[in-house]
Amino acid sequence: MACIESLKYEIILRNATFSECREYIRKNCRELVTVDPGFALFEKPVIGVPPILLGLDGDSITFPYTKPCYGTFLLRTENPEEAARLRSLLKK
Amino acid sequence: MVFITGQKEEKEAVLVLGCPQVPVQTAVALYLMHGLRRLGVRPIVAGNPAARMLIDVSDPLHHYAGEMVDLDTFIADMAAGRRKHDYYIVFAHNDAGVTYAATVQSISGKKVIMIIYGENFQAIADRVDFPAEKIMAKAVHNPMPMKKKIDEVLPWLVSNL
């Protein structure tokens, strides 16, 4: 996810564990998508401890993001195209 | 070069480096690559630009390091099925290291070797709940505790994983 800086995002959690990210998404997001590590999100593979949970609310996507030096963040961004693509996976 | 009995072709190990903020990482990685080459295993390095640059400057003629690859590119290539290696060795001194190891383990389906070091090495090791062989020591500035552990287990790991 090298292009993360090109997205407009909100930081929800800093220095989070993946279980904390999962818990937040379960409690706060309307729709949940479970993916494996390596799943392409914004055309880049997701890094994470499986099962990796992504959250959807309308056009908003909530997702964990790990940087080697800074740990794991839970981010939220608006992206109608990517949200629609994730939502289509739910229907399969 | 010493070949393990029964080993015919050169195998490959990828070293997935973490953030280089803990001083021992580069020294331990180079020592490990030296040990792997002696056992007939070709090392490949995956890391962020700073981690790779430290290796490049320390080993300018690449006596030890083989191919160098960007960490994100490495994960993307693995996920797309473009990369498969015999051994996956992941350095971890923080949660991010464990996260990368879990990612590599999940995509490869293989048991990973984790080099766990730093002040909080035990707490980091306790967070590993996926198939991994852990080589761990409280190494921050002094690489010797980790060197000793590597000397003890590397031939066994190369023979048995």
Side-chain angles (χ1 to χ4, degrees), chain A residues 13-53:
Chain A
L13 299 174
R14 288 174 195 270
N15 284 324
T17 64
F18 271 77
S19 57
E20 287 167 345
C21 292
R22 276 193 289 272
E23 196 182 325
Y24 179 93
I25 288 171
R26 274 202 192 97
K27 283 184 183 166
N28 296 283
C29 297
R30 212 171 294 163
E31 295 166 275
L32 311 177
V33 184
T34 304
V35 299
D36 289 323
F39 173 82
L41 182 65
F42 302 111
E43 299 177 352
K44 296 288 177 186
V46 174
I47 307 298
V49 178
I52 301 172
L53 215 53

Side-chain angles (χ1 to χ4, degrees), chain B:
Chain B
M1 186 178 289
V2 179
F3 280 96
I4 298 291
T5 308
Q7 186 178 324
K8 289 174 184 166
E9 289 176 13
E10 192 179 36
K11 292 190 169 186
E12 283 181 343
V14 61
L15 280 70
V16 180
L17 302 182
C19 169
Q21 71 189 134
V22 179
V24 296
Q25 177 172 268
T26 304
V28 169
L30 287 166
Y31 185 74
L32 185 56
M33 288 191 267
H34 158 77
L36 288 166
R37 284 199 182 272
R38 283 181 61 84
L39 295 167
V41 179
R42 184 151 45 97
I44 293 164
V45 175
N48 69 9
R52 296 200 314 275
M53 234 178 286
L54 281 160
I55 296 289
D56 254 337
V57 170
S58 308
D59 182 20
L61 296 178
H62 282 226
H63 284 301
Y64 304 114
E67 180 194 355
M68 307 277 274
V69 58
D70 173 71
L71 187 54
D72 289 334
T73 305
F74 167 73
I75 298 290
D77 285 350
M78 272 190 81
R82 292 189 292 266
R83 272 189 181 276
K84 277 185 185 167
H85 301 289
D86 300 292
Y87 308 100
Y88 296 91
I89 305 173
V90 185
F91 285 65
H93 71 274
N94 59 11
D95 264 336
V98 177
T99 302
Y100 272 91
T103 303
V104 169
Q105 195 284 318
S106 175
I107 299 172
S108 70
K110 292 188 78 166
K111 188 182 263 193
V112 294
I113 300 168
M114 290 187 70
I115 307 289
I116 304 175
Y117 56 103
E119 285 289 346
N120 304 313
F121 74 102
Q122 189 62 61
I124 297 297
D126 290 345
R127 288 173 205 154
V128 178
D129 60 357
F130 47 85
E133 291 288 348
K134 299 179 233 178
I135 305 175
M136 43 199 272
K138 188 178 181 176
V140 180
H141 295 96
N142 177 4
M144 292 311 283
M146 187 58 86
K147 175 191 176 294
K148 283 180 190 162
K149 291 281 171 69
I150 289 170
D151 288 342
E152 282 168 18
V153 302
L154 191 61
W156 184 90
L157 288 172
V158 168
S159 301
N160 291 282
L161 287 187

